[in-house]
Amino acid sequence: MAIFPRIEPLLGSDLYCLQKRGTVSPASTVVETDSLNPSWQEQARRELAGIKSSRCGWSYGRRGAPCVEPTVLACLALLVSGNEESRGDDLAHSRRAADWVAAIQHPDGLLPISQVVEGPGWTTPFAILLWCTLAVHDSARARAVLWLLSLAGNTGDRGAEARAVVGHDQTLAGWPWVEGTHSWVEPTAMSILALGRAGLGNHPRVAKGTRMILDRALPHGGWNCGNKTVFGRELRPQPVPTAVSLLALAAQGIRSPAATRGVDYLQRALPGLRAPISLGWSLLALRAHQAMPPGADTALERAFSDCAGRLDSVRSLALLLLASRQESPSLLTSSDSSQAQRHLTTKDMQRESSW
Amino acid sequence: MNRLGELVIKRRSFLTGVGGALATGLGAKHLCDWNEWSLRAPVFVAKASSYEVDLETIIKNGLMELGQSPAWVKGKAVLLKPNLVEASDRAPHINTHPAVVRAVAEVFRSWGAGSVVVAEGPGHCSDTQLVLDESGLGPTLRESNLEFVDLNHDDVVFVSNRLRQTALAQLALPATLKHADLIVSLPKMKTHHWVGVTLSLKNLFGVMPGIVYGWPKNVLHFAGIGPSILDIAAAVRPHLAIVDGIIAMEGDGPIMGTAKHAGVLVMGTNLPAVDATCVRIMGLNPWRVGYLVGASGRLGPVSERHIDQRGEPIASVASRFEILNHPSLAILRS
């Protein structure tokens, strides 16, 4: 049952098709390479390609079983940061990884953390993002999307006591990290991005998840990992939840005061930010909102020098590379919802209406 | 193997921990006191006015007062588990101070430990490096050449949940714990708006891998915070706790509370005994902390007469910690 359109590949036989979509000029896709003095991006690419934990994928560290999240981030980074010369290898790496991800998918569509740890499913949006980018594994992608649509964070008005303690709308369903628990900002934002890339950006679940994201925005800017206020105290914003929320809002084409305040928060936080994962996500979000600050390239290079060679550098290297490319936000936020709507079956429409 | 979602079968009620203590009622003290009649544990309390004093000497003396010596440590793989919750360079009292972590590491090194690693899985922030940077621990680790393991993203092993205070049949633990001969809980002394206090037992939430339990580790909230604390403690079985109570946190802990100068380090090899002593130092009643009532007799003693208090008397270091003004927490004072 093919319910999803065959999405135009972002990577195909031509130079990365982002160029065809007009999101980037051909010249800007090529990392400057000098064999005697390679750019930091080229060094990062080499290191990333060299630290695969197996033939199929990357783990969080440099040993252990490959895991879905680092594998997807590494593939997206290699694909977006490569050049003509590297394209064959990048595609080969990524297709092998995409095949491996499909191979460990559960029959119901859930993607586990790895082959070793079979739950809990929050990695499913990452798999969808990779398959959409490569335009492969249509049926696996369809199962993953249906599983994602079937998953929602626990909701319900838990009475006056709960309302007085927790400051957000507990009736809005987003996505949880783990089935059977509450909705949280990061898995909700990633699910919105994945469903959007799969052509379901207009799905009611995406709309509700977006409302949840907006509801959880901190009054003074940015997002915490989930709550807005507890016992009347506004919590502190964090870069990663803020960045993925902003990417989700960008994917939905939403401009709101919450997004503006989120961008302001990230721009305020950036000068002190050296942690590569936070820096990478933050710059991706600022790119998506056309708000890249001056000095971003220097910050990325500095963060690379901090994390190069570390045992746990896979996600760091990947996110720094992604953040360095103008076209990267498209890998997360582009969509073609009109085609998807045409391909929804009656059964899926019924599922839709139940939300 | 498990899909964690299938393990979550019990919905959390609000204010679980303190509610548990309430439900247990006044009989808890007497019942548990009897349950732990055969248990004894020493706890050492030291004054430490600031992070600039000679913490290594204080810790070394404390360990010797507890009956430990270099022979206890020699050649062993030591894992230090500080409390890093979320990043905020403007609120250093959220996290265990880097000076305490460094001092403990240096003591174990000087006593001939085979290796010393620092390991943590922050509960509210999926970017562990950010928490390390903003807490100041990252630079300290680099200066001291101490290895750090991100427990949120470590390899995972599943163990059966032996204590079964929650309905979770298994617990996912970081593989790094398996390789440690000595596990040391290094918490911050803080109030906690859900369970009353967070000390060496609650600190163990941080070993639970975020990739399995999420950020925050909401599976454990649904399973019940207090019961989860007991299950994790029984599974991990730490060997030592050293509580950073030099600058502690009162009020709306564990994140939004205010700094409180308590000027103490509290240490011991039995975690419930250490935590009960800390609660007394904080001017609160340990028999009103649900998970300490649950720990009594199962994991250690809580009753004052079963704890061999060494070093400073509690009365000489006790100071009243403010607690959040909420009816559910008022009982902590009674």
Side-chain angles (χ1 to χ4, degrees):
Chain A
M1 177 180 67
I3 62 164
F4 300 102
R6 179 152 184 95
I7 292 174
E8 180 187 359
L10 284 175
L11 295 156
S13 55
D14 300 320
L15 181 60
Y16 306 147
C17 292
L18 292 165
Q19 291 168 19
K20 292 203 295 187
R21 290 172 167 235
T23 56
V24 63
S25 66
S28 70
T29 61
V30 179
V31 171
E32 292 297 328
T33 307
D34 173 345
S35 58
L36 294 177
N37 187 23
S39 66
W40 75 262
Q41 290 101 321
E42 189 53 36
Q43 293 176 59
R45 283 177 48 78
R46 287 178 193 169
E47 183 171 341
L48 193 54
I51 57 176
K52 282 174 81 170
S53 64
S54 77
R55 189 170 171 275
C56 308
W58 285 258
S59 66
Y60 286 101
R62 294 197 178 188
R63 56 181 189 272
C67 296
V68 171
E69 182 197 14
T71 295
V72 169
L73 291 174
C75 289
L76 295 180
L78 289 175
L79 290 168
V80 82
S81 64
N83 57 25
E84 288 281 358
E85 201 177 317
S86 69
R87 188 185 322 141
D89 284 347
D90 295 339
L91 279 170
H93 276 303
S94 301
R95 286 182 175 143
R96 262 200 309 273
D99 293 346
W100 169 74
V101 172
I104 67 167
Q105 185 182 31
H106 290 197
D108 63 0
L110 174 150
L111 260 299
I113 294 166
S114 69
Q115 204 162 1
V116 180
V117 183
E118 294 190 357
W122 61 267
T123 39
T124 304
F126 287 86
I128 295 170
L129 288 170
L130 179 61
W131 292 332
C132 285
T133 299
L134 293 167
V136 295
H137 292 293
D138 287 0
S139 60
R141 193 172 73 212
R143 284 199 306 277
V145 166
L146 286 176
W147 183 83
L148 204 52
L149 289 173
S150 74
L151 177 70
N154 285 10
T155 57
D157 187 342
R158 289 189 287 165
E161 184 194 7
R163 283 198 301 275
V165 172
V166 178
H168 59 257
D169 184 346
Q170 296 169 71
T171 66
L172 290 173
W175 279 265
W177 291 99
V178 182
E179 191 175 356
T181 62
H182 290 307
S183 305
W184 297 95
V185 165
E186 287 172 63
T188 298
M190 293 308 300
S191 298
I192 291 170
L193 292 172
L195 290 171
R197 287 286 284 121
L200 291 172
N202 292 330
H203 195 281
R205 283 296 316 281
V206 172
K208 192 174 268 189
T210 306
R211 280 173 57 205
M212 191 216 95
I213 293 279
L214 289 169
D215 177 65
R216 303 276 182 110
L218 297 168
H220 289 90
W223 278 262
N224 187 267
C225 65
N227 291 324
K228 182 161 61 178
T229 64
V230 179
F231 288 110
R233 298 285 299 273
E234 182 178 337
L235 302 183
R236 298 181 184 90
Q238 296 177 14
V240 174
T242 300
V244 294
S245 296
L246 287 172
L247 283 163
L249 295 180
Q252 288 294 297
I254 289 174
R255 295 182 184 279
S256 73
T260 305
R261 288 193 296 269
V263 167
D264 290 346
Y265 157 69
L266 284 185
Q267 289 182 325
R268 285 196 309 274
L270 267 177
L273 208 53
R274 292 189 73 137
I277 290 171
S278 290
L279 181 67
W281 278 118
S282 297
L283 290 175
L284 274 169
L286 292 175
R287 276 195 193 283
H289 285 259
Q290 288 83 47
M292 277 294 272
D297 291 339
T298 308
L300 287 168
E301 186 167 7
R302 190 182 60 185
F304 167 71
S305 70
D306 287 349
C307 74
R310 278 180 24 180
L311 294 175
D312 57 351
S313 61
V314 174
R315 289 176 307 142
S316 299
L317 294 169
L319 283 161
L320 293 176
L321 280 169
L322 282 164
S324 71
R325 310 304 300 169
Q326 186 183 334
E327 59 273 35
S328 293
S330 299
L331 295 178
L332 304 170
T333 61
S334 65
S335 66
D336 191 351
S337 57
S338 59
Q339 286 190 61
Q341 292 299 321
R342 284 202 300 274
H343 285 73
L344 282 170
T345 63
T346 305
K347 183 180 168 191
D348 296 309
M349 292 299 282
Q350 286 166 350
R351 183 191 294 272
E352 239 188 310
S353 62
S354 72
W355 292 102
Chain B
M1 297 307 159
N2 280 290
R3 284 169 56 165
L4 259 286
E6 293 167 4
L7 299 177
V8 181
I9 62 168
K10 189 169 148 186
R11 187 180 174 86
R12 175 174 66 122
S13 63
F14 259 76
L15 310 171
T16 306
V18 178
L22 271 166
T24 309
L26 291 171
K29 175 183 182 301
H30 302 295
L31 185 65
C32 295
D33 199 304
W34 185 84
N35 282 343
E36 64 181 42
W37 69 272
S38 64
L39 299 175
R40 296 291 182 274
V43 173
F44 181 79
V45 179
K47 284 184 179 171
S49 59
S50 77
Y51 295 104
E52 281 70 50
V53 301
D54 183 0
L55 295 175
E56 280 182 54
T57 299
I58 292 172
I59 291 162
K60 201 174 280 186
N61 290 343
L63 291 176
M64 291 194 299
E65 285 285 334
L66 292 168
Q68 306 303 345
S69 68
W72 183 53
V73 174
K74 193 169 176 57
K76 289 184 175 167
V78 179
L79 184 147
L80 307 183
K81 184 347 194 141
N83 183 215
L84 303 178
V85 188
E86 87 177 32
S88 176
D89 52 3
R90 284 171 292 176
H93 50 291
I94 294 176
N95 303 312
T96 307
H97 197 284
V100 174
V101 179
R102 174 163 50 196
V104 175
E106 293 305 330
V107 168
F108 283 115
R109 280 173 163 172
S110 71
W111 278 10
S115 64
V116 180
V117 300
V118 179
E120 167 66 313
H124 290 190
C125 185
S126 57
D127 184 359
T128 302
Q129 185 61 46
L130 180 72
V131 188
L132 284 174
D133 286 353
E134 298 211 351
S135 68
L137 184 59
T140 298
L141 297 179
R142 281 192 292 276
E143 288 163 14
S144 305
N145 197 25
L146 277 166
E147 182 190 346
F148 179 83
V149 178
D150 177 2
L151 298 180
N152 277 333
H153 297 95
D154 199 13
D155 291 341
V156 172
V157 294
F158 284 90
V159 299
S160 65
N161 180 8
R162 292 181 304 175
L163 202 59
R164 290 306 293 263
Q165 295 302 291
T166 66
L168 301 172
Q170 289 186 304
L171 299 173
L173 295 175
T176 295
L177 294 187
K178 272 179 44 178
H179 307 306
D181 300 313
L182 286 179
I183 296 173
V184 185
S185 179
L186 295 179
K188 190 68 144 176
M189 181 184 282
K190 295 189 288 190
T191 52
H192 193 289
H193 58 211
W194 300 130
V195 288
V197 292
T198 171
L199 297 156
S200 69
L201 287 166
K202 174 68 175 68
N203 184 36
L204 299 176
F205 257 48
V207 307
M208 306 305 276
I211 55 171
V212 178
Y213 293 100
W215 289 266
K217 297 166 185 183
N218 204 204
V219 176
L220 304 175
H221 298 165
F222 271 78
I225 299 177
S228 293
I229 291 170
L230 301 178
D231 283 350
I232 297 165
V236 175
R237 302 170 74 182
H239 303 83
L240 177 69
I242 302 178
V243 181
D244 170 11
I246 297 174
I247 304 292
M249 179 185 284
E250 64 180 352
D252 189 8
I255 302 296
M256 303 304 293
T258 51
K260 161 89 173 173
H261 182 267
V264 290
L265 288 173
V266 182
M267 58 189 91
T269 51
N270 183 277
L271 275 62
V274 169
D275 287 5
T277 299
C278 289
V279 174
R280 293 186 173 99
I281 289 171
M282 297 163 83
L284 304 171
N285 181 350
W287 294 110
R288 302 302 182 149
V289 177
Y291 66 85
L292 284 181
V293 173
S296 168
R298 289 192 180 95
L299 300 175
V302 170
S303 172
E304 207 162 0
R305 66 197 179 100
H306 297 149
I307 298 172
D308 177 9
Q309 218 73 64
R310 299 175 187 179
E312 303 291 339
I314 289 175
S316 74
V317 293
S319 60
R320 182 188 167 93
F321 275 52
E322 294 301 323
I323 51 176
L324 195 67
N325 183 20
H326 191 274
S328 63
L329 293 165
I331 192 168
L332 290 167
R333 194 77 76 190
S334 61

